[in-house]
Amino acid sequence: MPSTPRFAYKADRLKPLRAFCQTARLGSVSRAAEALYVSQPAITLQLQALERELGQKLFERSGRRLVPTRAGEALYELARPLVDGIDTLPTAFRNQLKGLDAGELNIAANSSTILYLLPRIVERFRERHADVRLSLHNTVSADGTDLLRTDAVDLVVGSMHDVPTDLVYEPLHRFEQQLVLPPGHPLADKDDLTLADIGQHGLILPPKRQITWRLVDLVFQQNRVPYTVALEVGGWEVIKQYVAMGMGISILSSICLTEADRGRIVTRPLDRFFPARSYGVVMRKGKLPSPQARAFMDMIHPDLFLRRDYYEGGHSER
């Protein structure tokens, strides 16, 4: 019975996997060699040995670049978190030893999340970890995930519809969509409220980049109901104030409604037409959270992201 070939690099699997990941990232053996401070022949030998052991071609040439084959893409998805985890282990270890009495935590969230969902969580976090410098970045969801990908923030807290494959999303709270009206509005007490009824009145909506605007547009378009936007304005408190002044009606998540709104506006549930919005935590897939981020997530929900495979794809609202 023939024996399985043995390769010298098996004594150190990290080297060929690191060479492979750098080549995949940079598209060039020479650039990978420069990044790793080794010779080009060393990178080539490691890649060849890896291909022999796996029995698959991992790269093909596209113009002047090397691009992963289908097998190479599959290996990259598996190897990248391992290599990144090993390469960042010293820093992560030092941060772990420091504990939570130092360091910083950067969180991206949209205005409604910062205003309505996070205050009590932030208050509890500050009470327990006063030495951690906490920064909340007020962004729309798209900007927040861009900051997450560049490690400018540790977490994104907010709402997501479609979850990109490089991110993981754990929804924690669900809020129904509500129609918001000024007192005495014709739709306030109308029986059998329809989308067509709503579409006849001017809507006050947040800017188009925000999820709410896209959700409203999607529902009306899918039902082929025309509608008009009377005003676009940022900030839910501003929108509610304009509704109370009789400048239009709006559709918003119940997360934005407080006791202070009683009497000045009227709400009607829209669960017949609009799906509930979830709010939760977004992280980069495969990246271990810092101790500070872990502690903040525990304030929201203990063992968050530990209830299922950490490397799974995130939930999607669609």
Side-chain angles (χ1 to χ4, degrees), residues 171-215:
L172 298 170
H173 304 281
R174 300 190 76 82
F175 296 91
E176 303 296 331
Q177 296 299 108
Q178 298 279 332
L179 179 65
V180 183
L181 311 152
H185 192 277
L187 299 185
D189 299 310
K190 188 180 186 303
D191 294 331
D192 298 323
L193 186 67
T194 67
L195 281 177
D197 294 329
I198 299 171
Q200 294 175 5
H201 298 269
L203 291 172
I204 303 175
L205 295 179
K208 290 183 178 181
R209 292 190 65 198
Q210 294 194 18
I211 291 177
T212 297
W213 196 101
R214 300 200 302 271
L215 178 63

Side-chain angles (χ1 to χ4, degrees), residues 106-109 139 141 144-145 148 153-158 280-283:
N106 287 275
I107 297 174
T139 67
S141 297
T145 52
L148 188 64
V153 299
D154 301 281
L155 304 170
V156 175
V157 182
V281 176
V282 187
M283 286 193 62

Side-chain angles (χ1 to χ4, degrees), residues 256-274:
C256 303
L257 299 172
T258 68
E259 286 297 318
D261 296 321
R262 290 184 180 274
R264 69 174 185 142
I265 57 176
V266 176
T267 63
R268 296 197 61 175
L270 293 176
D271 51 295
R272 287 174 52 201
F273 313 113
F274 290 85

Side-chain angles (χ1 to χ4, degrees), residues 5 31 53 62 92 109 186 232 308:
R31 293 178 65 186
E53 183 193 17
S62 177
E232 285 188 18
R308 57 189 173 86

Side-chain angles (χ1 to χ4, degrees), residues 8-30:
Y9 85 89
K10 281 190 174 183
D12 185 359
R13 286 188 178 274
L14 181 61
K15 285 183 179 179
L17 289 177
R18 185 186 283 122
F20 167 76
C21 287
Q22 285 288 10
T23 305
R25 286 190 184 110
L26 301 174
S28 164
V29 169
S30 60

